[in-house]
Amino acid sequence: MNLLVGYTADQRGAEALELAAALVQGTATPSLTIGIVVPATTPFSAIYPGGDHGFNSILSAKVDEWAVTALAQVPQGVSAKVVARSVSSVAEGLIELADEVGAHGIVLGGRKRHRAGFFMPGAVANALLHASPVPVFMSSPQALASLRAANGQITRMTAFVGDRPGAREVIASAARFATIRKVALRVATLVADSDVSDPATELDPHLVRTKAFLTELTQSMGLRASVEVISRQSLDEAIDSLAWEAGEIAILGSSRLAANRRLFVGANAQRILGKLHVPMAVIPN
Amino acid sequence: MSQELRQETAEQPESGLHSKGLSTGTVGVVGLVVIGISCIAPAYTLTAGLGATVAVVGTSLPAILLAGFIPMLLVALGYRELNNAMPDSGTSFTWATRAFGPMIGWMGGWGLIAATVIVLSNLAAVAVDFFYILLAQLTGNQAIADLTKNLWVNIPTTLVFIAAAAYISYRGLNATKVFQYVLVGFQVAVLLLFAIMAFTSSTPFDRTPISFDMFNPASVDSFGAFAAGISLSIFVFWGWDVTLTMNEETTDPAKVPGRGATWTVLVIIALYLAVSLGVLYWAGVGQTGLGAGNEANQESIFAVLSGPIMGPLAILMSLAILSSSAASLQSTMVSPARTLLAMGYYKALPPSFAKISPRFMSPSVATVVSAAAAAVFYVVTRLISENALWDTITALGLMICFYYGITALACVWYFRSELFASVRNFFFKFLAPLIGGVVLLVMFFSTAVESMNPDYGSGSAIGSVGMVFILGVGVLLLGVAIMLYTKWRHPAFFRGETIKTR
């Protein structure tokens, strides 16, 4: 498996690299492409006086230094190369690079930022989540702590799905990763009381239906997966009560995919992304 | 002529970046004219520079504006040669170092940094003035416009503007093509409107007929006034040379830069003449009331004249100046930061100046230091000078003459072995930069000596030495001190270990 790392020469970049290495290790041909995207200068943002001031040659020397640092962080057994690209937008550059090197996914490091209680992905992650043709993996310091607790070994894939037919793609993607890595697959769905109009009478039948639907779906796909339907009063409580193994990866469908599925619409999806403490992948439509 | 700027690359990983990250071939003649005008920022330069220039040359303003372009042209031709020979260094610091060695090169870089730091503080101050004027015009409450005279309001607001510009340039946010076209188009339209309204006004303050003498440089009283006028008018054309140095970005490097530069200067000169003649015609150079010679009007001429001339449309002028100075504030912030970065990188300053933010790919320490320097400079000037804007503009003219002069002579010296190899070399690498450089350095010394007089500029003085002299020469001496300190602590650059002298 080949993953593209959206690398910056700081803690985030190191974290992205660590997650990416953990993801590819143990696959048939583990390789990483470390992408450094340098913002392209546009002539219409002319700098005066003096223009370039030698900045681009200094920057390119700096990128070479960063490349050496990055390669030194790649573990034994994983082949890696550094590619730098000058494009006006970082997300655009990463998508271009992923396409050129045939990457199976893009890995980003990041920090959790919350605004008014909602998780805000960084600008680059946000742009990628709306445009990337390949899965986007995101790490955070807490997520890495979980991975490190498992000695950098990935132990299980958890696919977050709703109870509607579109769940198939997310489960299939998660299953592909699980098969490549020879780890267990879990399918989880979160139900809040407000998902049904009258919780007292409708909740239990809803839960039974959902569980039956997902079990049938995974079996029809020929998968051995554990299915968990978590029901709590609120979504937050449901997220919190889901148990995680060290080294687990969460997989969600992208927002475009989510358009016709309740669980991932807007605020809910952001809640889940914000409350998870494991590395996450978002699968495009 | 190979690049001998040493880059410390241990290995050569596959970065593929060394071809500069410039988008090739997207800028045509019109685009280049827009870029040129946006760098010159005419609405800002006129409001900041016109009054101060009238103060020294009176009705000969148009003549001085025309004459001031000539040294600018001569120096810019030298710039173009250096830029073509060393496209990847692109700054006075490296060019002058390669020609004259570390000490003069260091001071050339310092001159550029000082000039940009001074202009930053002035840009921020002008933006703040017009920010409050605009608020006053929007709310109809004149008292708000006067807030800018209250130092407790003015200084914090200015610091906020500087900090915002530094943050934007640190984040590496870029202006887009549409943004520049709109900004430039609006600026030019408002300035023309101002000129038209001045000429068609039925109630000029002091109607002064336009005469041929206004265009005659010989009609300026003294050489001192002429020199001071030239160094100010250099400031109003500062930015034009960017059109000459853009090559790879243009659709046709053989034709576009030349045409773009020509059209830019024609548009700018026409605009300047229209506005300055309009001001002279409407306000005269009298020293009382709305006269352009009145000291009280000189720090920001449009702040005073746009209301009486344009009536309710004056709000457009405030918008044009606020947008032009705020945009320039941000784009100018990048310059000292990059020169400081280059100086740090080549060990001419402590190595921490060479830090680049890995996330935003912009100078980090250097940007903060530039913004802090501009802020300190502004606060100091504002507190000790009666008329800070005026004095900073005059000191800025000094500084531009200094580093332009050094850079022009660096061109002559750098190419010394090939000056007479062809007619083209003789004119572009020798004659033009030599005359331009010598003229600017003469202007520099002449203005510096003049400015020792306590009555010079706004008339502020410390002891019995003029404020402009203290600002200008003080900043240069500070540079010498920092240079000597760096030479003592980090001698590598001064031993020629990082940049080789040709």
Side-chain angles (χ1 to χ4, degrees), chain A residues 10-275:
Chain A
D10 53 11
Q11 199 55 40
R12 297 156 198 261
E15 287 165 13
L17 208 50
E18 193 175 336
L19 171 62
L23 286 165
V24 296
Q25 263 174 333
T27 64
T29 46
S31 76
L32 295 180
T33 306
I34 299 167
I36 300 178
V37 179
V38 179
T41 47
T42 63
F44 284 92
S45 55
I47 288 146
Y48 195 77
D52 178 60
H53 295 271
F55 181 69
N56 278 297
S57 44
I58 295 174
L59 183 59
S60 79
K62 209 72 167 191
V63 167
D64 290 344
E65 268 173 46
W66 290 337
V68 173
T69 319
L71 289 174
Q73 293 168 31
V74 177
Q76 291 284 317
V78 176
S79 76
K81 63 170 179 175
V82 178
V83 189
R85 179 62 53 91
S86 183
V87 186
S88 61
S89 118
V90 177
E92 207 178 292
L94 288 176
I95 289 172
E96 250 180 60
L97 285 176
D99 181 50
E100 278 166 32
V101 303
H104 297 98
I106 301 174
V107 188
L108 294 177
R111 291 289 176 274
K112 290 207 165 150
R113 293 182 294 170
H114 294 267
R115 254 170 237 160
F118 295 122
F119 168 67
M120 305 286 291
V124 174
N126 203 23
L128 275 182
L129 290 180
H130 288 95
S132 172
V134 292
V136 176
F137 294 85
M138 291 177 290
S139 76
S140 63
Q142 301 94 318
L144 268 192
S146 146
L147 187 63
R148 284 178 189 146
N151 289 322
Q153 295 298 314
I154 290 171
T155 53
R156 187 163 69 167
M157 295 282 171
T158 292
F160 272 97
V161 295
D163 55 355
R164 303 258 174 101
R168 179 182 278 269
E169 288 93 335
V170 180
I171 296 175
S173 299
R176 265 200 305 280
F177 277 108
T179 313
I180 296 173
R181 298 304 314 270
K182 302 183 190 71
V183 294
L185 174 66
R186 170 168 74 153
V187 176
T189 192
L190 306 177
V191 181
D193 286 359
S194 56
D195 287 352
V196 289
S197 47
D198 179 11
T201 57
E202 290 174 25
L203 189 60
D204 286 340
H206 176 75
L207 295 177
V208 171
R209 266 201 315 278
T210 306
K211 176 129 190 174
F213 167 73
L214 290 174
T215 310
E216 199 179 312
L217 180 64
T218 48
Q219 276 168 0
S220 75
M221 294 167 76
L223 299 171
R224 288 185 50 189
S226 58
V227 174
E228 285 185 31
V229 178
I230 309 286
S231 166
R232 289 291 184 278
Q233 200 171 7
S234 72
L235 186 70
D236 281 351
E237 287 171 40
I239 301 167
D240 287 340
S241 57
L242 198 60
W244 294 94
E245 290 177 8
E248 188 152 10
I249 308 275
I251 300 190
L252 292 85
S254 83
S255 54
R256 265 192 301 166
L257 189 69
N260 50 11
R261 271 184 302 129
R262 243 182 339 198
L263 194 61
F264 295 112
V265 174
N268 286 358
Q270 292 195 328
R271 275 238 170 81
I272 295 177
L273 286 170
K275 295 204 89 171

Side-chain angles (χ1 to χ4, degrees), chain B residues 71 75 223-231 234 397-398 400-406 408-409 433-451 456:
Chain B
V75 172
F223 176 75
F226 184 77
I230 293 286
S231 78
I234 295 278
L398 261 182
I400 300 176
C401 286
F402 176 76
Y403 91 82
Y404 258 35
I406 287 186
L409 295 186
L434 180 71
I435 297 176
V438 168
V439 166
L440 288 187
L441 288 177
V442 168
M443 299 295 161
F444 168 76
F445 285 113
S446 159
T447 314
V449 170
E450 284 272 299
S451 67
Y456 192 83

Side-chain angles (χ1 to χ4, degrees), chain A residues 8-10 12 36-68 81-84 86, chain B residues 7 9 14-15 17-18 21-23 27 35 39 88-91 116 174-175 177 180-181 238-239 241 246 331-332 334-335 338-339 341-342 345 354 358-359 361 363 403-404:
Chain A
T8 52
D10 53 11
R12 297 156 198 261
I36 300 178
V37 179
V38 179
T41 47
T42 63
F44 284 92
S45 55
I47 288 146
Y48 195 77
D52 178 60
H53 295 271
F55 181 69
N56 278 297
S57 44
I58 295 174
L59 183 59
S60 79
K62 209 72 167 191
V63 167
D64 290 344
E65 268 173 46
W66 290 337
V68 173
K81 63 170 179 175
V82 178
V83 189
S86 183
Chain B
Q7 294 184 345
T9 45
E14 192 185 334
S15 87
L17 238 180
H18 293 274
L22 295 168
S23 44
V27 181
I35 293 171
C39 283
D88 291 334
S89 46
T91 178
T116 44
N174 285 331
K177 183 175 175 176
Q180 290 290 18
Y181 271 74
W238 200 34
D241 49 318
M246 281 212 168
S331 66
T332 308
V334 180
S335 245
R338 286 189 172 182
T339 293
L341 178 89
Y345 184 76
R359 262 186 94 196
M361 309 269 173
Y403 91 82
Y404 258 35

Side-chain angles (χ1 to χ4, degrees), chain B residues 382-449:
Chain B
R382 184 52 94 182
L383 291 179
I384 60 178
S385 166
E386 294 160 28
N387 200 328
L389 290 181
W390 187 5
D391 286 343
T392 51
I393 281 299
T394 317
L396 172 64
L398 261 182
M399 220 53 71
I400 300 176
C401 286
F402 176 76
Y403 91 82
Y404 258 35
I406 287 186
T407 313
L409 295 186
C411 171
V412 178
W413 195 243
Y414 182 80
F415 294 111
R416 62 189 178 278
S417 61
E418 48 187 287
L419 291 179
F420 304 104
S422 68
V423 177
R424 191 191 173 282
N425 278 8
F426 176 75
F427 281 108
F428 289 129
K429 293 179 177 167
F430 174 69
L431 198 59
L434 180 71
I435 297 176
V438 168
V439 166
L440 288 187
L441 288 177
V442 168
M443 299 295 161
F444 168 76
F445 285 113
S446 159
T447 314
V449 170

Side-chain angles (χ1 to χ4, degrees), chain B residues 318-394:
Chain B
S318 307
L319 255 181
I321 297 171
L322 177 61
S323 60
S324 123
S325 49
S328 292
L329 182 62
Q330 189 269 317
S331 66
T332 308
M333 186 66 83
V334 180
S335 245
R338 286 189 172 182
T339 293
L340 285 171
L341 178 89
M343 291 177 81
Y345 184 76
Y346 296 111
K347 311 267 163 66
L349 281 174
S352 61
F353 282 89
K355 281 190 185 152
I356 293 182
S357 153
R359 262 186 94 196
F360 305 120
M361 309 269 173
S362 62
S364 49
V365 173
T367 304
V368 173
V369 169
S370 312
V376 168
F377 184 85
Y378 181 73
V379 173
V380 169
T381 324
R382 184 52 94 182
L383 291 179
I384 60 178
S385 166
E386 294 160 28
N387 200 328
L389 290 181
W390 187 5
D391 286 343
T392 51
I393 281 299
T394 317

